[in-house]
């Protein structure tokens, strides 16, 4: 899973990372599920399940509490209501709800059908900060917009019977003829209003999201892998055709970087663009699946920023084909959707993945080495704001519980830095010949999609496949509580610490502290009264307590403050700008040129040419 985190403190907002399809011609007895997207009432969808037979007196039916890749307890059962059970004659069977996600059905030997209603998650999102709400992360959520769009993360619609998890599933989706369902699955029904998908077990089915919308998709080949991109843009601002060229360039670069590590033949990218209204998705980022990625982004982004964000988040999700989809522990292999046991190795599942999403870009020439160093410096700064003394393996194992769950976001910061240090140490120990990608290739050969490792044996196996220094590092800095001396590892590559200058945000100091607030009565955006203004504001003549009414003839207030922030992130020095303000009750127009604020931060640069060869092997080998 990959979350995009942009903070605006005044609004209290945080914008939020191997199953193979088997076409089974016949099944002896499957779980036969129908989702009706035609007869939607009160924003709810009817799900009907024709059940397999039971020999026990009771049957337990679960809606997932959590799903792989989310590392949060989302309780999808809270979006399900009116659950009913029937015998072969249509008679009601007694049913009891035992917790938010679980139902016990009595006289189960007579059970033939279960029905219920599903509400979507997008409508419930508040946009509150990480850990401050019960929002389901949007790419792991669901959308029901009758006749327009349906985001079917299948775990949000389909439950499973305890003991029947390995039973084949047949999924029929009835949908309006004008909506096309795009998925990595293959539709076995040629009808324009019905799709049929057959999967070997529940865990395989819930790794196969589907998005229904007006047809807008492209496809291309990367070696022998078919990539499908489907886009839903509520106003039609963006199309799949606009998104595809950059995505094709990126994914071909990823395949070149990975080499022969992946055998996936079909991969679907489902992109939902939110209009950011109060009842639409607000958690931005992506969630990985073995052959799919679901992505949610704000439609308000301009194309350049959208492409940059997609490059980062989709590349992150695609690299999950390495870990945990190919290299994973027993906890991942036998995932329990309602009583999950977490693995100790989020540093690898999310950290190595995030590191690859950055390393491949410098490796393939998509960014230069200074951009890469700046990204790593940013991760160091953010990691040090979290608990740098906490054992990463302990945090991973207990990620659902306090105080560890509040440190989860460090998987994208320190987790990536752990991977970087392993990479650096391997390059030094092998005189540049081997790095962490070689390690992951070796682990893929050792284990693979169908063979899991034991959590407590992984460090020993990695040490066996690499060098003693790697084992020392893992025990001291990953399972241990000793902070990583990043300068020590950078120095091995001839890289030293320095101060760098980056472009800031006109409305956020250091990307976090706002220069603005909002009048709750009028919804007007107000410059804070006592804050020292930045060069963007002083150049234009903006003063404390000014009310921003419009920028470049577009009106702004609390309702579309997101749009203003997103637009400002794309302004360039020297561009003409017009700001309409209200000062002391009088409106006026301020005209001038953009001067973006500059911020200094700690960074890194290559300084030792004696180590250039090993550094080149690290970054481009």
């Amino acid at each position: 899973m990959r979350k995009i985190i942009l903070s605006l403190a005044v609004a209290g907002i945080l914008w939020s990372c191997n199953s193979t399809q088997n076409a089974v011609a016949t099944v002896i007895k499957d779980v036969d599920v129908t989702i009706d997207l035609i007869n939607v009432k009160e924003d709810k969808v009817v799900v009907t399940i024709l059940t397999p037979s039971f020999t026990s007196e009771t049957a337990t039916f679960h809606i997932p509490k959590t799903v792989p890749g989310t590392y949060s307890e989302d309780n999808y059962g809270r979006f399900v209501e009116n659950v009913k059970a029937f015998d072969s004659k249509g008679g009601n069977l007694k049913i009891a709800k035992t917790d938010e996600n679980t139902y016990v059905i009595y006289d189960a030997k007579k059970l033939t059908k279960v029905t219920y209603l599903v509400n979507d998650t997008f409508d419930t999102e508040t946009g509150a900060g990480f850990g401050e709400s019960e929002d389901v992360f949007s790419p792991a959520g669901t959308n029901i917009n009758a006749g327009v769009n349906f985001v079917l993360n299948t775990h949000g619609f389909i439950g499973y019977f305890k003991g029947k998890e390995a039973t084949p599933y047949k999924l029929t989706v009835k949908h309006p003829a004008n909506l096309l369902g795009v998925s990595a699955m293959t539709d076995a029904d040629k009808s324009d209003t019905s799709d049929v998908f057959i999967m070997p077990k529940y865990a395989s089915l819930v790794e196969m999201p589907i998005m229904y919308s007006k047809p807008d998709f492209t496809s291309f080949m990367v070696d022998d892998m078919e990539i499908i991109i489907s886009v839903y843009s509520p106003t039609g601002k963006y199309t799949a055709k606009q998104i595809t060229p950059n995505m094709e360039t990126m994914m071909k670069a990823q395949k070149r970087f990975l080499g022969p590590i992946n055998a996936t033949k079909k991969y679907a990218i489902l992109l939902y663009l939110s209009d950011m209204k109060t009842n639409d998705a607000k958690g931005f980022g992506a969630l990985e699946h073995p052959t799919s990625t679901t992505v949610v982004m704000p439609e308000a982004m301009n194309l350049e920023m959208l492409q940059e964000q997609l490059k980062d988040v989709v590349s992150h999700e695609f690299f999950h084909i390495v870990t945990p989809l190919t290299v994973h522990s027993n906890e991942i292999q036998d995932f329990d959707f309602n009583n999950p046991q977490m693995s100790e190795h989020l540093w690898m599942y999310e950290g190595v993945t995030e590191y690859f999403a950055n390393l491949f870009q410098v490796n393939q020439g998509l960014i230069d080495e200074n951009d890469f160093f700046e990204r790593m410096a940013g991760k160091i700064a953010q990691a040090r704001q979290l608990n740098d003394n906490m054992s990463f393996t302990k945090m991973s194992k207990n990620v659902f519980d306090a105080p560890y769950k509040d440190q989860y976001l460090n998987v994208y910061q320190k987790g990536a830095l752990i991977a970087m240090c392993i990479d650096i140490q391997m390059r030094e120990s092998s005189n540049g010949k081997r790095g962490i990608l070689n390690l992951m290739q070796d682990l893929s050969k050792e284990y693979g999609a169908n063979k899991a490792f034991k959590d407590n044996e992984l460090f020993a196996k990695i040490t066996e496949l690499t060098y003693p220094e790697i084992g020392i590092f893992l025990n001291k800095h990953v399972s241990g509580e000793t902070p990583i001396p990043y300068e020590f590892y950078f120095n091995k590559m001839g890289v030293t610490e320095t101060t760098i200058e980056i472009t800031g945000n006109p409305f956020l100091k250091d990307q976090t502290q706002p220069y603005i607030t909002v009048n709750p009565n009028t919804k007007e955006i107000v410059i804070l009264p006592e804050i020292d203004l930045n060069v963007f504001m002083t150049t234009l003549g903006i003063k404390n307590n000014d009310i921003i009414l419009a920028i470049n003839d577009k009106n702004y207030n609390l309702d579309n403050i997101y749009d203003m922030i997103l637009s400002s992130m794309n302004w360039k020095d020297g561009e003409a700008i017009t700001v309409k303000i209200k000062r002391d009750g009088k409106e006026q127009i301020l005209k001038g040129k953009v001067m973006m604020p500059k911020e200094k931060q700690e960074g890194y640069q290559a300084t030792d040419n004696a180590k250039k060869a090993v550094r080149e092997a690290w970054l481009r080998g």
Side-chain angles (χ1 to χ4, degrees):
M1 176 177 66
R2 179 66 147 77
K3 293 189 177 186
I4 302 301
I5 306 168
L6 306 174
S7 60
L8 180 58
V10 62
I13 297 162
L14 177 66
W15 300 336
S16 329
C17 166
N18 186 21
S19 309
T20 303
Q21 178 186 353
N22 294 323
V24 183
T26 59
V27 289
I28 297 173
K29 188 63 177 175
D30 56 19
V31 181
D32 191 341
V33 182
T34 299
I35 300 177
D36 186 354
L37 304 183
I38 298 176
N39 301 298
V40 179
K41 296 181 180 179
E42 298 179 348
D43 204 36
K44 300 171 187 175
V45 162
V46 176
V47 176
T48 302
I49 301 178
L50 302 182
T51 70
S53 59
F54 291 87
T55 58
S56 56
E57 293 299 323
T58 62
T60 301
F61 179 66
H62 291 295
I63 302 294
K65 180 178 185 178
T66 186
V67 293
T70 58
Y71 313 112
S72 60
E73 295 180 336
D74 290 319
N75 296 304
Y76 290 93
R78 59 193 161 115
F79 303 100
V80 170
E81 60 185 63
N82 200 29
V83 180
K84 296 180 180 179
F86 302 92
D87 61 23
S88 60
K89 297 180 180 179
N92 288 88
L93 297 177
K94 181 182 176 182
I95 186 168
K97 184 175 183 179
T98 58
D99 64 38
E100 196 161 36
N101 308 292
T102 305
Y103 296 83
V104 173
I105 301 168
Y106 297 89
D107 288 332
K109 293 178 181 179
K110 300 179 180 179
L111 179 64
T112 60
K113 184 171 71 173
V114 171
T115 65
Y116 52 89
L117 299 175
V118 178
N119 297 277
D120 63 332
T121 70
F122 284 10
D123 288 349
T124 69
E125 294 186 21
T126 65
F130 181 80
E132 297 174 8
S133 76
E134 294 184 353
D135 287 356
V136 172
F137 179 49
S138 302
T142 57
N143 189 47
I144 298 172
N145 187 354
V148 179
N149 174 271
F150 297 90
V151 175
L152 303 188
N153 269 308
T154 43
H155 56 253
F157 289 86
I158 303 168
Y160 64 95
F161 295 94
K162 186 176 180 180
K164 301 287 186 180
E165 295 92 337
T167 303
Y169 268 70
K170 175 185 176 184
L171 170 62
T172 301
V173 183
K174 297 179 180 178
H175 61 90
N178 66 315
L179 301 186
L180 175 70
V182 175
S183 170
M185 294 186 288
T186 299
D187 178 15
D189 188 333
K190 302 302 181 183
S191 166
D192 291 335
T193 58
S194 178
D195 296 336
V196 175
F197 308 105
I198 299 173
M199 298 300 289
K201 59 183 179 179
Y202 181 76
S204 302
L205 178 63
V206 297
E207 291 285 16
M208 291 290 185
I210 318 166
M211 184 168 75
Y212 285 87
S213 56
K214 180 181 177 181
D216 182 16
F217 71 95
T218 57
S219 66
F220 56 90
M221 299 298 295
V222 177
D223 296 335
D224 58 348
M225 180 192 302
E226 181 186 11
I227 308 294
I228 303 169
I229 300 176
S230 179
V231 174
Y232 170 70
S233 181
T235 69
K237 181 178 180 179
Y238 294 118
T239 65
K241 187 176 181 180
Q242 291 173 286
I243 302 298
T244 297
N246 279 52
M247 297 293 288
E248 185 171 2
T249 298
M250 178 196 76
M251 299 191 80
K252 285 182 176 179
Q254 287 185 274
K255 281 286 285 180
R256 288 194 299 270
F257 173 81
L258 277 180
I261 203 168
N262 173 50
T264 299
K265 298 301 182 184
K266 186 177 182 181
Y267 197 90
I269 299 169
L270 310 180
L271 173 59
Y272 179 94
L273 296 173
S274 170
D275 63 9
M276 299 171 68
K277 293 179 181 178
T278 56
N279 63 341
D280 206 353
K282 298 181 180 65
F284 303 139
L287 179 67
E288 82 277 3
H289 298 276
T291 58
S292 310
T293 294
T294 52
V295 190
V296 178
M297 289 287 177
E299 192 186 45
M301 281 184 173
N302 68 24
L303 182 59
E304 181 183 359
M305 173 172 276
L306 179 60
Q307 289 173 333
E308 281 300 304
Q309 294 290 354
L310 287 173
K311 181 173 69 174
D312 287 341
V313 300
V314 174
S315 63
H316 175 100
E317 303 310 326
F318 185 75
F319 279 127
H320 272 303
I321 62 177
V322 181
T323 184
L325 304 177
T326 302
V327 181
H328 53 254
S329 69
N330 289 312
E331 288 82 358
I332 304 296
Q333 180 93 345
D334 303 314
F335 190 82
D336 190 325
F337 295 88
N338 285 75
N339 185 29
Q341 304 301 308
M342 303 308 293
S343 170
E344 296 179 353
H345 298 296
L346 278 177
W347 70 270
M348 185 173 71
Y349 307 141
E350 294 295 343
V352 171
T353 301
E354 176 67 6
Y355 177 61
F356 280 170
N358 288 276
L359 180 65
F360 100 95
Q361 294 188 49
V362 67
N363 179 278
Q364 295 293 312
L366 303 181
I367 61 175
D368 64 28
E369 67 178 44
N370 289 326
D371 291 328
F372 176 76
F373 294 151
E374 183 178 321
R375 290 177 178 216
M376 295 301 105
K379 290 186 181 299
I380 290 172
Q382 292 177 61
R384 285 173 172 166
Q385 292 176 9
L386 294 163
N387 188 342
D388 206 22
N389 297 97
M390 180 178 284
S391 164
F392 220 81
T393 52
K394 186 177 289 186
M395 182 273 288
S396 299
K397 188 68 176 176
N398 301 282
V399 70
F400 289 147
D401 305 316
Y404 305 102
K405 66 179 180 180
D406 293 334
Q407 301 296 312
Y408 162 72
L409 290 177
N410 216 6
V411 300
Y412 304 111
Q413 317 306 332
K414 190 172 182 177
L417 296 168
I418 289 169
M420 180 189 74
C421 293
I422 292 173
D423 198 14
I424 288 172
Q425 183 61 65
M426 287 186 66
R427 290 295 177 184
E428 183 189 58
S429 298
S430 65
N431 196 27
K433 294 180 180 178
R434 284 170 49 80
I436 195 169
L437 179 57
N438 302 102
L439 168 61
M440 299 311 297
Q441 290 169 338
D442 290 344
L443 287 171
S444 296
K445 293 174 184 176
E446 181 78 22
Y447 299 105
N450 298 315
K451 180 182 177 182
F453 60 79
K454 293 181 180 180
D455 252 15
N456 61 0
E457 296 178 357
L458 180 63
F459 283 179
K461 175 56 66 175
I462 289 176
T463 306
E464 175 189 325
L465 293 171
T466 58
Y467 309 96
E469 295 87 350
I470 300 299
I472 293 170
F473 173 85
L474 291 170
N475 288 305
K476 184 176 182 180
H477 299 297
V478 183
S479 63
E481 299 179 347
T482 304
I484 300 172
Y486 299 109
E487 293 74 17
F488 171 78
Y489 286 93
F490 273 121
N491 186 60
K492 292 176 181 290
M493 298 293 110
V495 176
T496 56
E497 192 171 10
T498 186
T499 299
I500 61 174
E501 187 176 76
I502 64 170
T503 299
N505 185 282
F507 303 110
L508 297 171
K509 184 178 181 180
D510 299 325
Q511 302 295 320
T512 57
Q513 181 182 347
Y515 288 98
I516 55 179
T517 186
V518 174
N519 184 324
N521 298 318
T522 64
K523 295 188 176 182
E524 292 174 326
I525 301 169
V526 184
I527 305 297
L528 286 166
E530 297 179 354
I531 196 167
D532 291 333
L533 302 181
N534 60 30
V535 67
F536 166 79
M537 296 179 182
T538 57
T539 300
L540 285 173
I542 295 174
K543 297 182 178 181
N544 299 101
N545 291 310
D546 281 353
I547 297 170
I548 297 177
L549 300 176
I551 299 176
N552 292 335
D553 298 322
K554 182 173 181 177
N555 296 326
Y556 290 108
N557 60 26
L558 176 60
D559 293 337
N560 63 347
I561 195 171
Y562 292 98
D563 295 14
M564 187 180 79
I565 299 296
L566 289 170
S567 296
S568 73
M569 296 174 71
N570 294 281
W571 295 343
K572 301 290 189 295
D573 286 341
E575 290 179 343
I577 189 170
T578 300
V579 181
K580 182 179 180 181
I581 66 166
K582 184 162 60 176
R583 181 181 297 163
D584 299 326
K586 297 180 180 179
E587 294 184 5
Q588 55 181 289
I589 302 294
L590 304 177
K591 293 185 178 181
K593 294 186 181 297
V594 171
M595 184 173 289
M596 296 292 280
K598 302 299 188 290
E599 298 173 357
K600 293 186 182 299
Q601 69 176 36
E602 294 304 309
Y604 297 86
Q605 63 182 8
T607 55
D608 187 351
N609 283 331
K611 297 180 178 178
K612 184 176 181 180
V614 71
R615 183 169 63 247
E616 285 293 305
W618 168 39
L619 298 176
R620 299 177 181 87

